[in-house]
């Protein structure tokens, strides 16, 4: 399996090429909470897949990530769009340098999982700290939306086993509502699909792409949301 931590630091441009193959999640987010004129925090913003679609409508948006390389890409896109309602911040989800009760919406896409999967020591403590930070930062009545992997290469939900306990706690302990959507990747060719999926998902997914000659790689995403 590729080293995602290294990818986020040293291969941010290639990662951006991969996620650019997904459709926008704007309408999905809007169906949970309309974002117009709201103050938003994007936790684990990466190269800005969510920040960039929300910034034009938001009152303000802060893109937070551990990788400065990723945030540079986010900032470049926002500058090119001539937006001025944003800033980036390098930080750990468990200790966010953001003031209390300053946000209406917090989003985290495909990010919290790295600190709270079953292969991480003290993952439950990490999750508790992250949820505490989210509640500290949200204004009363604010909403958090978490998006995570619910099955890459699958047309129906097939979440990774090492994330199942995390997902369960979101619903049973923290009171999140849940649904899932398709977040398929659409490539220009099988060759591009092979290159980009092998780069990030590894040989198993890439071999499926080649063997089945896939230009569209199916993927499911789980979505959890909570108003505080």
């Amino acid at each position: 399996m590729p080293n995602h931590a290294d990818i986020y630091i040293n291969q941010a441009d290639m990662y951006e090429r991969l996620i650019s193959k997904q459709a926008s999640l704007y309408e999905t987010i809007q169906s949970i909470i309309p974002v117009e004129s709201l103050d938003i925090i994007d936790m684990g913003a990466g190269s800005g897949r969510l920040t960039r679609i929300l910034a034009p409508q938001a009152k303000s948006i802060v893109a937070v990530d551990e990788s400065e390389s990723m945030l540079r890409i986010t900032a470049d896109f926002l500058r090119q769009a001539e937006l001025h309602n944003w800033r980036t911040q390098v930080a750990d989800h468990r200790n966010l340098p953001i003031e209390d009760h300053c946000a209406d919406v917090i989003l985290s896409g495909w990010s919290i999982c790295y600190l709270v999967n079953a292969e991480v020591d003290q993952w439950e403590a990490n999750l508790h700290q992250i949820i505490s930070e989210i509640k500290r930062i949200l204004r009363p009545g604010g909403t958090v939306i978490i998006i995570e992997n619910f099955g890459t290469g699958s047309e129906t939900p097939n979440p990774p086993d090492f994330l199942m306990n995390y997902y369960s706690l979101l619903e049973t302990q923290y009171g999140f509502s849940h649904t899932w959507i398709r977040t398929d990747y659409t490539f220009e060719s099988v060759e591009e699909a092979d290159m980009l999926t092998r780069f990030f998902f590894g040989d198993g997914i890439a071999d499926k792409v080649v063997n089945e000659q896939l230009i569209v790689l199916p993927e499911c995403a789980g979505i959890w949301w909570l108003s505080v």
Side-chain angles (χ1 to χ4, degrees):
M1 187 70 180
N3 184 328
H4 288 179
D6 179 73
I7 286 172
Y8 296 147
I9 294 171
N10 297 311
Q11 296 176 282
D13 290 330
M14 183 70 85
Y15 174 77
E16 166 57 25
R17 285 186 62 186
L18 171 67
I19 65 164
S20 72
K21 304 302 178 179
Q22 288 181 303
S24 169
L25 274 75
Y26 181 77
E27 294 301 327
T28 297
I29 294 167
Q30 282 286 92
S31 71
I32 297 172
I33 180 168
V35 300
E36 289 83 1
S37 302
L38 298 184
D39 295 311
I40 299 172
I41 309 292
D42 185 3
M43 289 174 52
S47 60
R49 79 167 99 184
L50 300 180
T51 306
R52 284 159 17 205
I53 63 172
L54 299 176
Q57 303 299 325
K59 178 181 179 182
S60 70
I61 192 161
V62 181
V64 179
D65 201 278
E66 278 199 314
S67 170
E68 188 172 356
S69 299
M70 288 286 206
L71 291 177
R72 279 199 293 268
I73 295 176
T74 300
D76 286 345
F77 275 105
L78 295 171
R79 290 191 192 98
Q80 290 169 19
E82 299 184 349
L83 295 169
H84 305 285
N85 61 337
W86 59 273
R87 67 181 176 89
T88 63
Q89 178 70 58
V90 176
D92 185 294
H93 292 344
R94 295 164 291 187
N95 186 22
L96 297 170
I98 296 172
E99 66 186 79
D100 295 354
H101 309 306
C102 67
D104 302 299
V105 180
I106 295 179
L107 298 111
S108 183
W110 298 274
S111 178
I112 294 174
C113 59
Y114 289 105
L115 290 169
V116 301
N117 68 76
E119 298 174 358
V120 174
D121 290 338
Q122 303 297 315
W123 71 267
E124 289 184 70
N126 287 344
L127 179 58
H128 178 78
Q129 183 62 30
I130 291 166
I131 297 297
S132 295
E133 281 290 86
I134 288 170
K135 291 181 176 180
R136 177 183 66 79
I137 293 166
L138 280 176
R139 295 181 176 124
T143 299
V144 53
I145 302 172
I146 296 173
I147 305 167
E148 298 284 14
N149 181 5
F150 225 50
T152 301
S154 300
E155 296 183 357
T156 56
N158 184 28
D161 289 342
F162 62 87
L163 294 175
M164 290 300 292
N165 289 337
Y166 157 42
Y167 296 164
S168 177
L169 284 189
L170 286 178
E171 298 169 50
T172 61
Q173 182 168 325
Y174 295 104
F176 280 72
S177 299
H178 168 64
T179 190
W180 67 276
I181 60 170
R182 289 282 291 271
T183 50
D184 298 358
Y185 298 83
T186 302
F187 301 98
E188 295 180 9
S189 65
V190 173
E191 291 73 22
E192 181 185 60
D194 177 20
M195 176 187 68
L196 292 176
T197 58
R198 200 173 300 278
F199 152 75
F200 191 76
F201 298 117
D203 292 339
I205 294 292
D207 289 347
K208 175 184 174 72
V209 165
V210 173
N211 293 336
E212 299 180 20
Q213 292 290 284
L214 298 178
I215 293 177
V216 176
L217 176 68
E219 182 180 79
C220 299
I223 302 178
W224 292 263
W225 69 96
L226 175 71
S227 294
V228 301

